[in-house]
């Protein structure tokens, strides 16, 4: 995008383009997080109401209370800014921003559609998990600096919980990374193009199990019930954000809902095909190949698809929250160490074994795509020859490029002369789009 | 075993320490000397056949008529009565034990009357005795931590006494 | 107001190093009213709990020395305000015991009917609030949805939803309005299947069992020693219910009714097939058993209400005309305990022969139940404290009076 801006404004080579691109991306993501939080809070109140046999917000903004959160947000902004006397002023003030920044920064590497990502980091999975783990700093700072013992309790519990759950979370995430052979989220998403049989969650029974463990660990790492003792109302008044009110408090909640969306989105990409739907509607309609506008529309549909999947994940988290009681901290850690870690390890070994032994899986049916990639071998080959092939270090942007590059490295198959190679209609170029600014090599 | 036979057994055991027995009242009661309270209560709780293992309630009734005209017609002197309601879960019977005390050990120094504490015998007496101390002003000797329970720690006076006057003010709040 | 430094209401504790002194309440989402728990904790483990009460003390007993017994009925309502009918009943029976006043059969059946409905309403709150303590909000609202229907029934009877002052010495202030029995029948028919929802959400829920089974285990001896009564006592396996084993003036109300005392006898409860079995982690005398006893008591109360409705319709006599407002009481004293939803509620009345009692004393069940918190909470985790206090189901109005 940076170069495109430069070209349009005739400022080739200057930094203006990059800065402008960065600002645009940042604003877009900020909208996703902020408006997302708005929508999620409304959704939570409605879902909670319905589960509890009542209605939820029904007045502000029409019959369904659409604008309730906006009204609440306005109220929070106009509240008096109270800092407790015993609080460490500076830490107290920056804590919510640290939390929010961590949650927001992780969005930088989360793709919403093919190529629609602020920064296509090659090790995106690793980046997202690492940055997400920084959110706990905000919580610890908040609890510690509030000058209240209750907040401190909440903060310490949260620290223990998040740190413990990073282990099984990492183990769960490694399984689809292993299946895909890359940590690049765009590539992982594109690998699951076509019908839902290509989705990693249906790849084998162990990956299926991994998804459920991933979801549990993700719920624990964003502090949602039944693992929400950091903000346990009935014991700690409000836990680490007891002393917060007004805008500072709302930042914590934007961070929480942002993280919920993030881990659900991550799960959607890793397991449920990301922006590729259960049926490859866009490629059936032939949109991606019909010019730039068609390509854009296909990507837009993919983005909407992705967001829907993430929203489903968030809805399930809310549903669970309003149904189940809360676990005690020692039970939370027990669940992690005695249940999640061993189960995740077993699933990991199982998935690895499945791949190594080359056991059959639904993705072998290639519904909606070209021949299956034996990606793991080529990934290894590709990195060895990356300099030779002339590709830049950011790795292959599109699957088409990938296929092209990998095919250059493989010896040609002797028999299958009519075996489709690059650029055939069956391959998932249906949803490829070059990221703005990177032209398709001739 | 009904109350009558409990009383008979008690009289056989403790004889002179039982001051009065009233079996015709709606709830039969016995009155004992404060000094023998612990012994008798221990006996009542532990003896087979009696086993009054639950202390239901400790109450203090303040017998003081503040109106002098009515006081002249009465046949009792001002005193406090500590009433223990005991019951047995295994035998489904109950008994009331009473003590008569002077209202003050030393009125000038406002020294409260002493009663031995039964909290070692029935743990529930812990809180009941604190309440009695708080509201009626009876000092229980041997109690683990005798302090006010319902009124604030720095409250002055014993509200359930008949001659109690609400303080004029308490920490700036007007009393009456 | 005096300055904070010399405010003697602040109690000084000496704190050893690496221990925290944490204050739970008096304002706290889960202390069932204004209760202050001062906890001494080593990290998450509690080494000492000291409950401090008295924030709701209104000295109703002193007021009782200036009012006639019928005038004092509203004060009993406000003691255990979640089970007002049962409090009224206790006081009414005590006065009738002193006066040796006889009631007609119809009045007795009416009292059973109302008292048992009150028991259901009270247990619904206890159950829902317990879920709330443990972090699950929805059962609380489901329980209140059912309780609303009971309160509507009570409103039809006496005009009030919470502070009824309905059952008075002599009977009740008014008879049941027409059509009330049909509405009550409708409610019961609709309510019985709903109880299964509570089982799914709470009784058999794995997380709920993890939070309550084996927590706060109290032996039968300890329960009796601390004067615990009601579901707390029966949850420890002691078979004692005043409706069977109490004084005659109270048990004769329940003469001829068929119901069970909910208590584990020889390892099992009197349950039918709709009730879930006891999980293996649950130890007799722990929080889960106390909760389970309440759930079963609701079912027993439904049985009682159905029987009472039939007997009331076919009984003869008046509905219990109350005694005169300034009725002279005979000299003497009477003490009576009744089985309130939270335990044995006792009233002690000393009369000197005039219309105004000499001394009135309310023996609160929750007062004794709460005193067991200190030994029970020792050595448990911080998150267990609301679990234990919630299982005792205390109402501060009754404790402080």
């Amino acid at each position: 995008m940076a170069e495109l801006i430069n070209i349009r404004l005739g400022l080739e080579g200057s930094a203006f383009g990059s800065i402008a691109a960065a600002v645009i991306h940042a604003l877009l993501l900020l909208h996703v997080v902020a408006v997302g939080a708005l929508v999620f809070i409304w959704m939570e109140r409605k879902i909670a109401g319905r589960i509890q046999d009542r209605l939820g917000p029904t007045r502000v903004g029409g019959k369904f209370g659409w604008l309730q959160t906006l009204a609440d947000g306005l109220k929070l902004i106009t509240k008096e800014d109270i800092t407790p006397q015993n609080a460490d002023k500076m830490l107290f003030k920056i804590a919510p921003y640290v939390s929010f920044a961590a949650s927001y920064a992780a969005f930088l590497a989360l793709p919403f559609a093919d190529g629609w990502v602020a920064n296509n980091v090659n090790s995106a999975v690793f980046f997202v998990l690492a940055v997400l783990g920084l959110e706990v700093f905000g919580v610890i700072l908040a609890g510690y600096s509030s000058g209240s013992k209750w907040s401190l309790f909440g903060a310490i519990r949260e620290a223990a919980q998040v740190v413990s759950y990073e282990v099984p979370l990492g183990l769960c995430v490694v399984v689809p990374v292993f299946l895909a052979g890359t940590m690049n989220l765009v590539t992982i998403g594109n690998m699951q193009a076509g019908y839902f049989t290509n989705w990693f969650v249906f790849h084998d029974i162990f990956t299926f199990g991994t998804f459920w463990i991933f979801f549990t660990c993700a719920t624990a790492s964003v502090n949602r019930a039944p693992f929400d003792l950091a903000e346990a109302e009935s014991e700690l008044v409000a836990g680490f954000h007891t002393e917060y009110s007004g805008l500072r408090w709302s930042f914590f909640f934007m961070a929480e809902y942002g993280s919920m969306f993030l881990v659900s989105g991550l799960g959607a990409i890793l397991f449920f095909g990301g922006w590729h739907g259960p049926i490859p509607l866009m490629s059936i309609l032939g949109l991606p190949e019909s010019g730039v506008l068609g390509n854009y529309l296909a990507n837009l549909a993919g983005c909407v698809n992705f967001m829907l999947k993430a929203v489903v994940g968030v809805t399930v988290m809310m549903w669970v929250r309003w149904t189940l009681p809360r676990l005690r901290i020692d039970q939370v850690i027990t669940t992690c160490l005695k249940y999640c870690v061993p189960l995740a390890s077993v699933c990991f070994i199982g998935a690895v074994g499945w791949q190594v032994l080359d056991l059959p899986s639904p993705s072998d049916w290639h519904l909606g795509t070209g021949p299956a990639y034996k990606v793991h071998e080529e990934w290894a080959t590709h990195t060895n020859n990356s300099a030779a092939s002339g590709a830049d270090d950011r790795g292959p942007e599109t699957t088409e490029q990938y296929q092209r590059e990998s095919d250059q490295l493989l010896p040609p198959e002797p028999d299958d002369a009519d075996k489709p190679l690059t650029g055939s209609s069956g391959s998932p170029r249906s949803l490829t789009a070059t990221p703005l600014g990177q032209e398709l090599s001739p | 075993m009904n109350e009558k036979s409990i009383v008979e057994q008690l009289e056989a055991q403790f004889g002179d320490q039982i001051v009065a027995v009233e079996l015709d009242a709606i709830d039969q009661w016995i009155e004992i000397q404060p000094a023998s309270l612990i012994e008798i209560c221990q006996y009542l709780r532990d003896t087979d056949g009696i086993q009054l293992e639950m202390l239901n309630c400790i109450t203090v009734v303040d017998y003081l008529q503040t109106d002098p005209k009515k006081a002249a017609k009465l046949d009792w002197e001002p005193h406090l009565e500590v009433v223990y309601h005991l019951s047995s879960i295994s035998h489904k019977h109950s008994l009331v034990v009473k003590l008569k005390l002077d209202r003050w050990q030393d009125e000038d120094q406002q020294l409260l009357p002493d009663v031995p504490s039964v909290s070692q015998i029935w743990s529930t007496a812990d809180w009941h005795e604190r309440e009695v101390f708080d509201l009626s002003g009876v000092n229980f000797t041997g109690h683990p931590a005798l302090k006010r329970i319902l009124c604030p720690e720095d409250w002055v006076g014993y509200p359930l006494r008949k001659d109690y006057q609400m303080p004029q003010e308490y920490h700036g709040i007007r009393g009456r | 107001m005096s300055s904070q430094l010399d405010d003697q209401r602040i109690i000084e504790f000496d704190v050893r190093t690496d221990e925290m002194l944490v204050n739970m309440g008096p304002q706290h989402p889960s202390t069932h009213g204004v209760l202050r728990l001062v906890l001494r904790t080593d990290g998450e483990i509690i080494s000492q709990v000291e409950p401090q009460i008295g924030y709701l003390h209104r000295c109703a007993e002193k007021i009782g020395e200036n009012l006639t017994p019928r005038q004092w009925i509203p004060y009993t309502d406000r003691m255990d305000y979640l089970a007002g009918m049962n409090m009224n009943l206790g006081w009414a029976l005590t006065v009738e015991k002193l006066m040796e006043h006889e009631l007609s059969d119809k009045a007795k059946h009416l009292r059973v009917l109302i008292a048992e409905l009150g028991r259901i309403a009270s247990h619904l709150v206890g159950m829902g609030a317990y879920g709330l303590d443990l972090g699950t909000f929805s059962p609380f609202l489901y329980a209140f949805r059912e309780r609303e229907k009971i309160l509507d029934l009570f409103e039809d009877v006496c005009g009030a939803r919470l502070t009824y002052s309905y059952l008075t010495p002599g009977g009740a202030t008014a008879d049941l309005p027409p059509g009330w029995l049909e509405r009550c029948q409708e409610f019961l028919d609709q309510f019985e299947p709903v109880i299964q929802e509570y089982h799914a959400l709470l009784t058999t829920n794995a997380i709920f069992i993890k939070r309550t089974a084996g927590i706060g285990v109290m032996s039968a001896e300890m329960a009796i020693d601390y004067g615990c009564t009601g579901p707390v006592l029966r949850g420890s396996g002691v078979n004692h219910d005043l409706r069977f084993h109490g004084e005659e003036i109270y048990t004769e109300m329940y003469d001829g009714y068929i119901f069970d005392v909910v208590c584990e006898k020889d390892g099992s409860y009197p349950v039918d097939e709709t009730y879930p079995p006891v999980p293996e982690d649950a130890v007799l005398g722990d929080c889960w058993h106390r909760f389970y006893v309440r759930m079963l008591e609701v079912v027993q109360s439904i049985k009682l209400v159905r029987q009472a409705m039939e007997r009331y319709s076919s009984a003869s006599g008046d509905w219990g005309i109350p005694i005169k407002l300034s009725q002279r009481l005979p000299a003497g004293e009477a003490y009576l305990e009744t089985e309130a939803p939270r335990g044995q509620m006792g009233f002690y009345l000393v009369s000197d022969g005039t219309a105004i009692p000499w001394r009135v004393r309310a023996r609160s069940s929750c007062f004794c139940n709460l005193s067991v918190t200190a030994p029970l909470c020792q050595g448990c985790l911080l998150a267990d404290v609301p679990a234990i206090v919630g299982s005792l189901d205390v109402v501060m109005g009754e404790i402080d009076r």
Side-chain angles (χ1 to χ4, degrees):
Chain A
M1 177 189 266
E3 282 155 30
L4 195 65
I5 294 175
N6 275 346
I7 290 169
R8 293 272 185 266
L9 295 177
L11 294 167
E12 286 199 21
S14 83
F16 182 77
S18 313
I19 296 176
V23 167
I24 292 175
H25 277 132
L27 283 177
L28 281 174
L29 283 178
L30 195 64
H31 272 97
V32 167
V33 176
V35 174
L38 204 89
V39 170
F40 287 140
I41 294 180
W42 171 83
M43 231 171 67
E44 169 128 49
R45 289 173 70 166
K46 276 296 196 187
I47 291 175
R50 289 288 168 171
I51 291 179
Q52 293 166 359
D53 202 14
R54 57 186 177 88
L55 289 172
T58 51
R59 286 185 201 268
V60 184
K63 207 167 55 147
F64 292 102
W66 300 104
L67 298 176
Q68 179 71 47
T69 329
L70 194 63
D72 285 338
L74 282 173
K75 175 207 80 172
L76 285 169
I77 293 174
T78 54
K79 265 191 163 181
E80 181 185 350
D81 184 13
I82 301 175
T83 314
Q85 210 177 19
N86 287 347
D88 185 328
K89 299 272 187 304
M90 189 189 80
L91 290 178
F92 187 81
K93 288 182 183 174
I94 67 171
Y97 304 122
V98 169
S99 223
F100 180 72
S103 170
Y104 173 64
F107 274 91
L108 288 177
L110 188 75
F112 284 74
D114 191 358
W116 284 27
V117 59
N119 195 353
N120 196 353
V121 180
N122 207 16
S123 54
V125 167
F126 181 58
F127 175 80
V128 166
L129 283 185
V131 174
L132 201 59
L134 291 178
E135 198 183 334
V136 74
F137 278 116
V139 170
I140 295 177
L141 278 179
Y144 174 74
S145 66
S146 289
S148 151
K149 286 176 191 154
W150 292 112
S151 313
L152 188 62
F153 259 115
I156 303 296
R157 284 175 172 183
E158 158 110 22
Q161 183 183 322
V162 171
V163 164
S164 315
Y165 273 93
E166 280 181 9
V167 172
L169 194 65
L171 267 177
C172 290
V173 158
V174 166
V175 173
V177 166
F178 180 80
L179 291 180
T182 167
M183 286 211 251
N184 190 328
L185 279 173
V186 174
T187 317
I188 295 181
N190 281 331
M191 300 211 119
Q192 299 171 71
Y195 282 84
F196 62 90
T197 49
N198 287 333
W199 286 355
F200 283 155
V201 72
F202 298 123
H203 185 269
D204 55 75
I205 187 75
F206 292 101
T207 319
F208 189 73
T210 307
F211 170 69
W212 296 109
I213 306 171
F214 169 82
F215 196 72
T216 310
C217 297
T219 315
S221 69
V222 299
N223 279 319
R224 290 291 289 187
F227 306 104
D228 65 344
L229 23 74
E231 31 184 85
E233 272 144 27
S234 54
E235 298 142 35
L236 305 178
V237 186
F240 66 92
H241 55 76
T242 311
E243 305 291 341
Y244 284 87
S245 62
L247 194 59
R248 296 187 211 288
W249 180 88
S250 56
F251 264 102
F252 273 120
F253 274 85
M254 282 204 280
E256 171 160 333
Y257 286 103
S259 303
M260 278 168 70
F261 183 78
L262 186 80
V263 293
S264 301
L266 193 67
I269 296 179
L270 289 175
F271 294 97
F272 281 95
W275 51 91
H276 291 298
I279 15 176
L281 196 62
M282 292 295 124
S283 61
I284 289 175
L285 294 176
L287 272 180
E289 288 139 13
S290 61
V292 176
L293 183 64
N295 214 349
Y296 184 84
L297 282 177
N299 268 347
L300 185 66
C303 178
V304 168
N305 194 7
F306 166 76
M307 288 174 103
L308 272 175
K309 289 181 189 172
V311 165
V312 166
V314 170
T315 308
V316 172
M317 283 190 197
M318 289 180 185
W319 179 13
V320 167
R321 177 196 177 168
W322 293 106
T323 312
L324 295 177
R326 190 177 295 128
L327 284 172
R328 229 172 40 199
I329 181 69
D330 65 320
Q331 291 163 346
V332 166
I333 307 291
T334 311
T335 312
C336 170
L337 296 175
K338 283 202 206 164
Y339 297 101
C340 285
V341 170
L343 279 173
S345 313
V346 164
C347 287
F348 173 65
I349 295 176
V352 167
W354 201 280
Q355 277 288 79
V356 165
L357 297 175
D358 212 2
L359 294 172
S361 99
S363 60
D364 293 340
W365 305 335
H366 314 310
L367 291 179
T369 76
Y373 299 116
K374 293 277 189 278
V375 183
H376 40 284
E377 301 161 69
E378 279 133 10
W379 179 67
T381 340
H382 171 78
T383 48
N384 287 339
N385 293 296
S386 57
S389 70
D392 59 322
D393 288 346
R394 283 166 68 195
E397 236 67 48
T398 70
T399 43
E400 182 190 51
Q401 228 182 344
Y402 201 103
Q403 175 68 1
R404 217 179 309 125
E405 280 161 6
S406 57
D407 282 346
Q408 283 164 10
L409 303 163
L410 276 179
E413 298 280 352
D415 341 325
D416 309 280
D418 48 315
K419 183 176 159 189
L421 292 171
T422 62
S424 65
S425 56
S427 77
R429 74 188 285 253
S430 46
L431 282 156
T432 57
T434 57
L436 299 169
Q438 173 106 9
E439 293 148 87
L440 269 173
S441 50
Chain B
M1 190 188 277
N2 64 5
E3 284 74 9
K4 194 158 183 297
S5 44
I6 300 178
V7 172
E8 279 169 13
Q9 226 180 318
L10 266 179
E11 280 181 322
Q13 181 82 11
F14 292 99
D16 52 337
Q17 285 154 340
I18 299 183
V19 172
V21 168
E22 179 59 65
L23 293 172
D24 294 327
I26 298 175
D27 293 321
Q28 290 101 336
W29 51 264
I30 63 169
E31 192 199 319
I32 61 174
Q33 298 277 12
S36 46
L37 178 66
I38 302 238
E39 223 189 317
I40 294 184
C41 286
Q42 193 84 47
Y43 180 82
L44 284 171
R45 190 192 72 168
D46 296 333
T47 314
D48 282 333
I50 305 183
Q51 277 175 305
L52 290 162
E53 41 329 54
M54 185 177 268
L55 171 64
N56 292 76
C57 188
I58 306 181
T59 314
V60 162
V61 190
D62 185 11
Y63 284 94
L64 171 75
Q65 180 56 267
T66 43
D67 186 341
K69 275 189 288 188
K70 290 189 198 160
K73 294 187 219 158
L74 294 170
D75 57 352
W76 42 259
E77 289 297 311
H79 64 279
L80 287 181
E81 271 185 24
V82 186
V83 183
Y84 294 80
H85 285 95
L86 310 168
S87 67
S88 169
I89 292 186
S90 24
H91 298 290
K92 319 290 182 213
H93 53 221
S94 57
L95 184 67
V96 180
V97 176
K98 290 195 186 186
L99 305 174
K100 274 210 174 73
L101 304 170
D102 292 330
R103 297 186 77 248
W104 298 102
Q105 239 183 63
D106 185 331
E107 183 143 10
D108 305 317
Q109 290 175 39
Q110 300 272 292
L111 266 184
L112 300 173
D114 282 336
V115 172
S117 163
V118 294
S119 52
Q120 298 304 317
I121 306 177
W122 296 287
S123 307
T124 184
D126 189 332
W127 275 29
H128 278 118
E129 288 174 352
R130 277 178 66 186
E131 183 182 346
V132 163
F133 162 70
D134 185 5
L135 295 177
S136 306
V138 171
N139 185 31
F140 289 92
T141 54
H143 190 278
L146 193 68
K147 52 182 183 180
R148 288 189 183 266
I149 189 170
L150 292 175
C151 294
E153 298 275 324
D154 59 350
W155 193 262
V156 171
Y158 302 101
L160 278 177
R161 289 209 174 199
K162 295 283 184 185
D163 56 353
Y164 173 76
Q165 290 269 30
M166 189 72 178
Q168 277 278 10
E169 70 110 46
Y170 174 73
H171 287 277
I173 308 169
R174 220 189 119 144
R176 61 186 155 93
Chain C
M1 297 286 261
S2 55
S3 75
Q4 207 187 23
L5 285 172
D6 54 35
D7 192 337
Q8 287 164 344
R9 286 175 290 179
I10 296 173
I11 299 111
E12 298 300 321
F13 287 94
D14 63 283
V15 186
R16 304 197 293 273
T17 50
D18 73 63
E19 268 193 345
M20 271 210 307
L21 201 66
V22 192
N23 199 27
M24 216 164 147
Q27 292 155 309
H28 195 92
S30 84
T31 53
H32 291 267
V34 275
L35 168 67
R36 181 182 180 205
L37 291 169
V38 183
L39 311 166
R40 201 187 278 262
T41 71
D42 174 17
E44 284 261 346
I45 300 184
I46 312 275
S47 47
Q48 187 193 1
V49 169
E50 187 189 329
Q52 292 186 354
I53 58 178
Y55 290 90
L56 201 47
H57 179 58
R58 298 148 289 182
C59 213
E61 298 175 1
K62 184 85 177 177
I63 295 171
E65 295 170 11
N66 299 325
L67 298 174
T68 65
R70 273 197 66 198
Q71 286 176 315
W72 201 63
I73 283 272
Y75 290 89
T76 55
D77 274 325
R78 284 141 176 90
M79 288 185 188
D80 182 354
Y81 36 78
L82 297 172
M85 290 294 194
N86 306 75
M87 300 288 115
N88 290 347
L89 177 65
W91 176 242
L93 278 175
T94 308
V95 175
E96 284 159 18
K97 179 180 175 184
L98 182 68
M99 289 173 50
E100 289 168 1
H101 180 100
E102 280 291 322
L103 279 185
S104 67
D105 278 342
K106 190 162 178 163
K108 287 190 198 155
H109 296 314
L110 174 64
R111 279 185 168 181
V112 170
L113 169 57
I114 297 284
E116 293 305 316
L117 266 182
R119 193 182 304 273
I120 299 175
S122 169
H123 281 323
L124 281 172
V125 179
M127 215 169 66
Y130 196 36
L132 198 62
D133 287 344
L134 295 180
T136 164
F137 293 84
S138 309
F140 180 69
L141 287 165
Y142 297 158
F144 265 70
R145 180 190 61 195
E146 304 307 320
R147 185 179 146 89
E148 282 298 306
K149 298 171 190 160
I150 300 181
L151 296 192
D152 285 340
L153 286 171
F154 282 160
E155 190 181 0
D156 285 340
V157 165
C158 63
R161 280 160 44 91
L162 197 70
T163 52
Y164 312 108
S165 309
Y166 175 60
L167 300 173
T168 61
T173 53
D175 199 1
L176 295 178
W180 193 91
L181 288 169
E182 286 78 43
R183 271 174 280 149
C184 188
Q185 185 77 35
E186 255 176 57
F187 163 70
L188 289 176
D189 291 334
Q190 168 262 307
F191 178 52
E192 270 195 278
V194 168
I195 301 180
Q196 298 306 319
E197 278 180 23
Y198 306 136
H199 286 310
L201 282 174
L202 291 173
T203 322
T204 52
N205 187 319
I207 298 182
F208 181 81
I209 293 176
K210 268 186 146 175
R211 287 294 300 271
T212 55
I215 308 287
V217 181
M218 191 163 65
S219 66
E221 291 77 34
M222 183 176 172
I224 299 174
D225 192 26
Y226 275 88
C228 297
T229 51
V232 177
L233 182 65
R234 291 193 283 278
S236 292
V238 179
N239 184 0
H240 188 70
D241 185 329
L242 284 185
R243 292 173 290 177
F244 278 106
H245 311 123
E247 299 203 25
E248 213 196 305
I249 189 173
Y250 184 50
T251 54
E252 67 181 9
M253 257 171 60
Y254 289 88
D255 250 339
Y257 282 89
I258 303 169
F259 67 107
D260 296 309
V261 172
V262 177
C263 175
E264 203 186 75
K265 286 174 240 187
D266 310 316
S268 66
Y269 281 94
V271 296
D272 56 29
E273 64 283 345
T274 60
Y275 262 77
V278 177
E280 328 164 319
D281 298 330
V283 177
L284 189 65
D286 66 6
C287 296
W288 192 90
H289 277 270
R290 294 194 272 275
F291 175 80
Y292 196 52
V293 165
R294 286 193 190 98
M295 293 295 285
L296 294 180
E297 279 188 5
V298 168
V299 173
Q300 298 297 327
S301 293
I302 295 178
K303 271 206 288 199
L304 276 166
V305 171
R306 287 199 206 275
Q307 291 170 51
M309 283 199 294
E310 263 176 52
R311 293 169 143 209
Y312 170 82
S313 317
S314 57
S316 58
D318 59 65
W319 39 272
I321 314 281
I323 60 176
K324 286 202 295 255
L325 264 176
S326 51
Q327 171 84 34
R328 195 174 271 269
L329 297 167
E333 47 189 64
Y335 179 74
L336 180 68
E337 283 194 349
T338 54
E339 186 75 28
R342 291 183 168 74
Q344 287 167 211
M345 183 76 190
F347 286 95
Y348 181 47
L349 171 59
V350 178
S351 165
D352 58 349
T354 58
I356 308 238
W358 185 255
R359 172 82 162 98
V360 168
R361 167 92 159 106
R363 181 263 185 204
S364 150
S365 52
C366 296
F367 187 76
C368 307
N369 287 354
L370 190 65
S371 64
V372 86
T373 317
L376 273 189
C377 285
Q378 253 178 340
C380 73
L381 292 179
L382 181 64
D384 291 331
V385 172
I388 292 175
V389 173
S391 75
L392 299 174
D393 195 12
V394 291
V395 170
M396 294 315 291
E398 201 189 332
I399 296 181
D400 293 340
R401 282 154 280 138

